[in-house]
Amino acid sequence: MTDHALEISGLAKTYAATGRAPEKQALKGVDLNIPRGSIFGLLGPNGAGKSTLINILAGLVNKTAGRVKIWGFDQDVNPRQSRAAIGIMPQEPNLDPFFTPRGSLDVQAGLYGVPKSQRRTDEILELIGLSDKAEAYARSLSGGMRRRLLLGKALVHDPNILVLDEPTAGVDISLRNMLWDNVRDLNRAGKTIILTTHYLEEAEAMCDEIAIINHGEMIVRDTTANLLGTLDQKTLVITSDTPDPKLNLPDGVTLQRRDDGRLAFSYKSSAVTAGEIISHLTQAGISLRDVTTEQPDLEDVFLSLTAAR
């Protein structure tokens, strides 16, 4: 048995020309292996190919070329087993407004062939915080409750892999925190989580590894820590009691005066250290009331990798 939850090699998808829309190559030979038990971030701008990739995993879109193995099962050779190994929480709600949460979960479990004696409906309702709404029509649920129900539907067949496609889009902070607590619990229980999100701070906080896709191609894949370390730029921010200090800065250091009066010195950590900048300031007779440093975040990495492509 492989150590990978998901193995993708040479995955390509070309949409045929229709009407005025020309042929579009949505995926261009993507290779990606995702370790079992990880929380893995799949990021990219709109139109990058993320949704096409997820829809291929879900069996909703036929690939043009390549190979997909889900939990060791080849999607072409063992389609039933591969589909049973993965649960998809879609970005767009797909709920029948006349079903209750309990009914929706039971129907979904039936579609996956889960016997009634093995269904975990009450357990899932408790997990997603909808026990008190179990008999309410889905049309009466708030937007946040509907997103929780989508998570519940993805869990009915107890999949080994859970794909979350923009799970917190448009939800409030409290619901977002609850969803992430659930995700962490599911991961600790052994499930592999694949996450797409536009909230890059979430990916930074949650994901062990991240892959960035752009124009149908995988442009980078690494640990979150390594990706954050790819940017050499840092910022030293000081609060000074010296009015309008005149400075001759070391080579490679730039100064920006912020609206709140603080001075922000940007520099490459490979060429200059924060200590050298502070030493330069104190030798110039500038008083330092407060000093902080700012590190690049995942948004900076994302923009630097996708802007040039």
Side-chain angles (χ1 to χ4, degrees):
M1 182 67 74
T2 176
D3 291 332
H4 294 126
L6 183 66
E7 298 172 83
I8 295 174
S9 58
L11 185 61
K13 174 61 183 178
T14 300
Y15 291 100
T18 55
R20 295 183 179 179
E23 179 181 274
K24 179 182 178 182
Q25 195 172 4
L27 294 175
K28 306 172 184 178
V30 171
D31 297 320
L32 179 64
N33 293 330
I34 296 179
R36 294 189 179 208
S38 64
I39 301 181
F40 193 95
L42 182 63
L43 309 181
N46 289 333
K50 303 187 305 297
S51 294
T52 295
L53 193 153
I54 289 172
N55 286 333
I56 289 173
L57 297 181
L60 301 176
V61 169
N62 293 323
K63 63 184 183 294
T64 303
R67 186 181 185 190
V68 176
K69 294 181 74 174
I70 301 173
W71 210 252
F73 296 106
D74 190 300
Q75 197 177 51
D76 295 326
V77 179
N78 304 107
R80 289 175 60 88
Q81 292 92 329
S82 65
R83 190 170 298 182
I86 194 168
I88 310 283
M89 178 183 176
Q91 183 176 350
E92 297 297 330
N94 56 354
L95 301 172
D96 189 314
F98 297 102
F99 272 82
T100 65
R102 184 184 300 282
S104 293
L105 296 181
D106 278 337
V107 168
Q108 189 78 356
L111 292 174
Y112 277 98
V114 181
K116 288 187 177 181
S117 60
Q118 297 178 23
R119 294 179 188 176
R120 303 159 41 243
T121 302
D122 288 332
E123 178 186 338
I124 293 173
L125 287 169
E126 179 68 25
L127 173 70
I128 61 177
L130 289 180
S131 294
D132 60 337
K133 298 289 186 179
E135 307 303 335
Y137 286 125
R139 63 185 178 184
S140 70
L141 301 178
S142 68
M145 291 177 181
R146 293 180 188 185
R147 296 205 69 77
R148 281 186 265 169
L149 184 52
L150 292 177
L151 174 60
K153 290 180 66 176
L155 292 170
V156 294
H157 57 297
D158 196 22
N160 295 305
I161 304 170
L162 184 62
V163 178
L164 308 176
D165 190 7
E166 299 287 349
T168 58
V171 305
D172 59 38
I173 295 295
S174 61
L175 176 55
R176 187 179 301 175
N177 290 338
M178 190 209 78
L179 283 170
W180 288 129
D181 286 342
N182 287 348
V183 168
R184 290 187 179 97
D185 288 341
L186 290 166
N187 180 247
R188 282 191 287 266
K191 294 196 185 301
T192 302
I193 310 295
I194 301 173
L195 164 70
T196 78
T197 179
H198 278 87
Y199 300 108
L200 296 183
E201 70 276 10
E202 287 187 342
E204 186 175 336
M206 295 287 296
C207 297
D208 309 310
E209 292 186 83
I210 288 171
I212 297 177
I213 187 171
N214 198 22
H215 299 304
E217 298 178 296
M218 197 68 62
I219 60 174
V220 69
R221 180 262 176 84
D222 210 332
T223 65
T224 306
N226 284 347
L227 284 175
L228 293 173
T230 58
L231 290 186
D232 197 17
Q233 195 76 17
K234 291 188 178 182
T235 304
L236 179 72
V237 183
I238 72 164
T239 303
S240 174
D241 292 323
T242 305
D244 195 24
K246 305 299 181 182
L247 297 170
N248 292 317
L249 297 173
D251 291 341
V253 179
T254 59
L255 169 62
Q256 178 188 24
R257 287 175 168 82
R258 294 186 173 176
D259 293 340
D260 59 6
R262 294 186 299 165
L263 305 177
F265 299 87
S266 296
Y267 62 99
K268 291 187 178 296
S269 56
S270 61
V272 183
T273 68
E276 290 171 339
I277 298 174
I278 292 172
S279 176
H280 186 88
L281 296 176
T282 55
Q283 288 175 12
I286 296 170
S287 65
L288 308 180
R289 180 153 48 92
D290 185 60
V291 178
T292 60
T293 57
E294 296 176 351
Q295 305 279 0
D297 59 19
L298 189 58
E299 183 172 2
D300 298 319
V301 177
F302 181 85
L303 292 174
S304 72
L305 290 170
T306 57
R309 294 174 180 260

